[in-house]
Amino acid sequence: MSEGLTLSANIQHLETSATVAISAEAKRRRAAGEDVIDLGAGEPDFATPAIPAEAGIKAIRDGKTRYPANEGILELRAAAAKHLSLLSGGRPVNADRIVVSTGSKQALFNACFTLFGPGDAVAIPAPAWVSYPQIVHFARGRPVLVPGDPEWGLKVGVRDLERMVPAPKGLILCSPCNPTGSVYTHAELKAIAQWARERQIWVIGDEIYRRIHYGTGPAPSFLDLPDDLLDRVVIITGVSKTYAMTGWRIGFSLAPTPVAKAIAAFQSHTTTGANHMAQWAAAAALGDERVDQDVLRMTAEFRRRRDLVVERFRRDLTGVEFVEPHGAFYFFFRVDSFGGITGTAFCTRLITEKGVALVPGAAFGDDRWVRLSYAAATAEIQKALDRLVGFAKAL
Ligand code: PMP
Ligand code: GLU
């Protein structure tokens, strides 16, 4: 940087998102004519289902092209409230506590910026999605990675969190988890919520992958817990993953009323509100029961791909440690057993020598591991696995 061009301390920790950067690198190599398979991106390869897509087009035609309400259009907040209620056995969910944002990424940022301030410690179970520590830094908070238990799908429990003395101001928990695919059980979520309530810790539950779950029904949620455990819980979700709507940029927070109000006021000065027509598309995704068939179809396909990856590793890379995924669309495996190679070196060599893009564990706080995203066409996954197995065996 030129001398004198000092940027603000607000961004002193800023790095480009590694997950986004790897996808961009794969695209760049492809455009340059290289044969590259991208299993880096955490983005469904499916088209947005027809019903929300058409609703978005209709919204444009109907003139939903003006500023939306800061907190989001009522129709979408009502559809989201009803949807979340149905997913959690019909429990009441108040639409007034939902704020629509520009993707769940912004919903996470809003929540952190609203709840945390200078020096506040925020516990983040690790490995963790790359953006959490960055977002906490933007709020001038202090991300504290809490290593998950390798014997337990790299999840954390109350015992791990209790080691943080003094107790943190907040916790960001992702389930189903990016990058591991682990899913917290109802009992585990309850124990963590109890621990947090006793210590007056804010919990941000990132449940964006909740419906991409390979057990029965949606994955367990903080919303399945009784009201008295939810006083300091903010739930984050969105349409990007479940409905293959990453580019529409619609996410939500469900928060206690004063927090929801603060988030809406904050948005009134930052974005005004999320893209208006995309909100109508999202309302159709959540509100039209027929779209459920699309969700089931896509989730079934993710499950088949997960099985394919797991079986291939079991068969051809015996002894390689991995987390068995129960949700989301990621497969997290350990590479240091291949002669002590780091995740970063593994991924750099794999893309250069074999044309397969994966994300090094360094992006998630542990470079002994590598993340493979199976949100890609089955034939591509198969081809990538052939290359990956050949590469790893030769190491
Ligand atoms: N949380 C997690 C765990 C994610 O993997 C992603 C994917 N980018 C997001 C939040 C953000 O998703 P979006 O902004 O598209 O809703
Ligand atoms: N969440 C996805 C991933 O982890 C998309 C990229 C991003 O926003 O980080 O790959």
Side-chain angles (χ1 to χ4, degrees):
M1 198 186 301
S2 325
E3 231 175 287
L5 269 185
T6 319
L7 303 183
S8 160
N10 290 342
I11 53 162
Q12 62 184 317
H13 300 280
L14 183 64
E15 283 170 28
T16 305
S17 161
T19 47
V20 174
I22 281 153
S23 246
E25 171 68 7
K27 283 196 187 91
R28 189 192 64 75
R29 283 176 183 258
R30 264 202 215 141
E34 284 183 43
D35 170 22
V36 170
I37 305 171
D38 183 8
L39 302 188
E43 176 167 38
D45 55 314
F46 303 111
T48 296
I51 289 173
E54 290 302 327
I57 294 166
K58 181 171 181 305
I60 296 172
R61 296 215 166 101
D62 289 350
K64 311 291 190 202
T65 50
R66 295 175 178 269
Y67 288 134
N70 301 141
E71 67 276 21
I73 58 170
L74 181 59
E75 289 80 354
L76 174 53
R77 289 186 297 116
K82 186 169 169 210
H83 183 78
L84 289 174
S85 165
L86 287 174
L87 291 185
S88 284
R91 73 161 297 140
V93 176
N94 185 345
D96 289 342
R97 292 173 41 203
I98 293 178
V99 177
V100 183
S101 298
T102 304
S104 62
K105 209 178 257 185
Q106 194 208 355
L108 281 159
F109 172 80
N110 289 347
C112 288
F113 204 76
T114 307
L115 297 175
F116 311 131
D120 286 343
V122 180
I124 305 176
W129 178 49
V130 60
S131 292
Y132 297 142
Q134 289 275 326
I135 290 173
V136 170
H137 279 308
F138 296 149
R140 306 233 184 168
R142 193 164 50 84
V144 182
L145 295 184
V146 180
D149 184 344
E151 301 298 320
W152 197 28
L154 292 169
K155 293 191 276 186
V156 301
V158 168
R159 246 189 321 164
D160 305 296
L161 296 167
E162 253 167 2
R163 283 193 206 110
M164 280 186 77
V165 182
K169 178 90 187 275
L171 163 71
I172 305 180
L173 193 95
C174 183
S175 179
C177 178
N178 176 6
T180 60
S182 282
V183 175
Y184 285 76
T185 64
H186 180 81
E188 288 161 0
L189 292 181
K190 190 169 179 188
I192 289 173
Q194 274 163 341
W195 166 81
R197 188 189 53 176
E198 278 159 26
R199 287 157 189 78
Q200 305 205 322
I201 292 165
W202 284 103
V203 177
I204 299 180
D206 183 346
E207 302 189 351
I208 187 158
Y209 295 101
R210 184 168 176 209
R211 295 204 63 195
I212 305 174
H213 178 227
Y214 309 122
T216 317
S221 160
F222 281 110
L223 258 191
D224 300 331
L225 303 178
D227 276 344
D228 64 323
L229 285 178
L230 299 183
D231 286 349
R232 285 172 175 266
V233 174
V234 178
I235 290 167
I236 304 290
T237 186
V239 295
S240 286
K241 314 292 177 173
T242 309
Y243 299 98
M245 290 179 72
T246 45
W248 298 79
R249 308 305 305 126
I250 298 293
F252 314 95
S253 50
L254 170 66
T257 305
V259 181
K261 284 206 167 118
I263 288 175
F266 180 65
Q267 285 199 162
S268 79
H269 297 292
T270 50
T271 59
T272 299
N275 176 307
H276 193 168
M277 38 273 191
Q279 294 195 45
W280 287 94
L286 292 164
D288 191 319
E289 281 173 17
R290 290 170 297 171
V291 185
D292 249 30
Q293 294 311 313
D294 294 299
V295 173
L296 296 176
R297 170 181 53 80
M298 292 188 278
T299 306
E301 185 59 37
F302 286 136
R303 181 199 289 265
R304 277 193 286 277
R305 295 169 182 178
R306 174 203 63 164
D307 292 346
L308 178 82
V309 176
V310 169
E311 276 159 26
R312 191 70 195 269
F313 264 70
R314 287 225 168 97
R315 195 184 73 207
D316 290 338
L317 293 173
T318 326
V320 173
E321 199 180 322
F322 62 83
V323 180
E324 181 146 1
H326 294 287
F329 35 61
Y330 305 109
F331 179 80
F332 204 56
F333 64 99
R334 214 168 146 162
V335 294
D336 56 339
S337 55
F338 299 115
I341 193 168
T342 62
T344 302
F346 187 95
C347 292
T348 306
R349 284 189 54 191
L350 189 65
I351 194 168
T352 318
E353 296 171 26
K354 298 284 181 183
V356 177
L358 304 181
V359 184
F364 312 106
D366 190 337
D367 209 22
R368 293 171 300 177
W369 299 75
V370 165
R371 187 191 82 175
L372 177 156
S373 159
Y374 47 91
T378 304
E380 293 279 284
I381 297 173
Q382 246 148 359
K383 202 157 39 136
L385 284 171
D386 290 342
R387 295 182 190 182
L388 169 61
V389 167
F391 171 77
K393 281 192 163 163
L395 280 174

